[in-house]
Amino acid sequence: MEGNQPELTFSRKIKFELDPHSGDLGQKNNGASDPNREKIMQRELGALAIIASLERVEFGSFKGESACLVSCVFQFLDGNAQFLRFTDAMIHIEFQKREGQGEDPAVLNFGPRTIVGEKTIENRLWCYELVMPCHINVWPLDIGLEPTVRRESEFDRQHFMEIRGNLYGDRKHQRPNCVRWTVKENSKQRSGIPDLLRCTAIVKYTDAFQVVVKVSSDAIFHVLAYPWTKDDPVLIEAGNSFGASVRDNGDSDFSTLTNDEWAKIVSLENVQSIKWQALE
């Protein structure tokens, strides 16, 4: 060939889009206007599974402020596994403003604050000996004594399943916009954590907002469970309720909820005490 031929190069960009209906992806919304998605998240590893679902979205008031009550159900399924079970979990629910709409919601009240399961009493006995060497020098003798003191201490140690909820908000927020629950098994019984837990938060809102839910558990499950992709936040639109109302009489003042009414939206079997936190 005569002369130098210019080298032809081509640039091609290919856009890949994830199929929102694929079973290997996290839970997705059907567009920007898809409020109250019932399935929030689901991760699985063999017989183990964590499933979070939206149970209730109700609008009302809290001491004169516009408020929304959001209830979620968390399932921890172990398939009766003996060696692979959920020994602990952390639930993180964050309330965020939608892009360009209002302010981040603020948590006004939440439940449960503390749940303590049936206690297992373990009796322990501590035994110890204290040796005190003593030497007496009386010339020409060197007398060595080693008196021994023995002590025993008996006490009871309590083991119980425990769930604790706490508020959280970073330094950018004047009022907390997150709730975190930690769940731990009874280490003596080694029977895992409850397979179902209902959590509820009441938030102040100014416009449409979204709910980001994250659930983490044992390190092995957290690393190996699928899917690995993130779940879309749950979209909440003002006035668009979901699920059954807490009260049948139409009263939507959430600041006056009784313990019996809280028990309807935060339920758990075999608990010894349930405490609610009222935020001022």
Side-chain angles (χ1 to χ4, degrees), residues 224-268:
L224 299 180
Y226 67 92
W228 298 280
T229 55
K230 292 183 179 181
D231 304 290
D232 282 351
V234 177
L235 306 180
I236 306 296
E237 294 183 354
N240 195 331
S241 301
F242 176 80
S245 299
V246 178
R247 290 169 168 164
D248 298 329
N249 58 7
D251 184 3
S252 57
D253 183 358
F254 302 135
S255 65
T256 61
L257 291 176
T258 65
N259 281 343
D260 290 339
E261 290 170 332
W262 271 105
K264 292 172 56 179
I265 55 180
V266 182
S267 61
L268 189 67

Side-chain angles (χ1 to χ4, degrees), residues 1-9:
M1 299 177 61
E2 296 181 359
N4 294 326
Q5 296 291 335
E7 183 179 353
L8 300 179
T9 60

Side-chain angles (χ1 to χ4, degrees), residues 30-48:
N30 295 322
S33 298
D34 183 23
N36 305 333
R37 189 183 74 243
E38 186 171 0
K39 176 68 73 64
I40 300 176
M41 60 83 66
Q42 180 169 346
R43 297 195 70 196
E44 299 176 345
L45 176 62
L48 300 179

Side-chain angles (χ1 to χ4, degrees), residues 28-210:
K28 303 298 179 182
N29 295 321
N30 295 322
S33 298
D34 183 23
N36 305 333
R37 189 183 74 243
E38 186 171 0
K39 176 68 73 64
I40 300 176
M41 60 83 66
Q42 180 169 346
R43 297 195 70 196
E44 299 176 345
L45 176 62
L48 300 179
I50 297 178
I51 304 173
S53 305
L54 184 67
E55 184 175 51
R56 178 180 292 103
V57 175
E58 186 175 356
F59 294 90
S61 63
F62 190 95
K63 296 183 179 180
E65 296 183 301
S66 297
C68 178
L69 184 149
V70 179
S71 296
C72 300
V73 178
F74 299 90
Q75 296 173 269
F76 300 93
L77 309 179
D78 57 16
N80 295 322
Q82 296 298 321
F83 300 102
L84 291 177
R85 70 182 190 279
F86 293 111
T87 60
D88 61 74
M90 175 176 286
I91 299 170
H92 178 95
I93 300 181
E94 180 175 359
F95 299 91
Q96 303 173 342
K97 66 179 180 180
R98 301 272 291 276
E99 185 175 357
Q101 299 187 34
E103 303 175 351
D104 283 339
V107 180
L108 301 172
N109 203 355
F110 71 95
R113 175 64 178 88
T114 303
I115 292 181
V116 177
E118 295 179 344
K119 296 181 179 180
T120 302
I121 307 299
E122 177 187 13
N123 183 266
R124 288 195 171 189
L125 178 66
W126 287 91
C127 299
Y128 59 92
E129 293 183 352
L130 179 62
V131 180
M132 297 178 293
C134 178
H135 292 272
I136 303 176
N137 293 319
V138 180
W139 188 87
L141 301 175
D142 185 2
I143 303 174
L145 302 176
E146 292 187 351
T148 301
V149 179
R150 180 180 176 85
R151 292 289 186 268
E152 292 184 355
S153 177
E154 186 176 5
F155 66 96
D156 292 335
R157 182 177 179 181
Q158 297 181 348
H159 300 265
F160 46 84
M161 181 279 300
E162 183 180 23
I163 301 173
R164 293 192 181 276
N166 289 284
L167 292 171
Y168 173 77
D170 59 31
R171 63 178 183 273
K172 297 180 181 179
H173 293 85
Q174 296 296 322
R175 302 175 71 175
N177 67 318
C178 307
V179 187
R180 289 176 177 174
W181 286 273
T182 55
V183 188
K184 296 182 180 180
E185 74 167 352
N186 184 322
S187 58
K188 189 65 176 178
Q189 294 180 349
R190 299 176 64 86
S191 56
I193 61 178
D195 57 5
L196 187 145
L197 173 63
R198 285 183 169 87
C199 297
T200 295
I202 301 172
V203 299
K204 173 188 175 182
Y205 71 96
T206 58
D207 210 326
F209 61 94
Q210 61 187 25

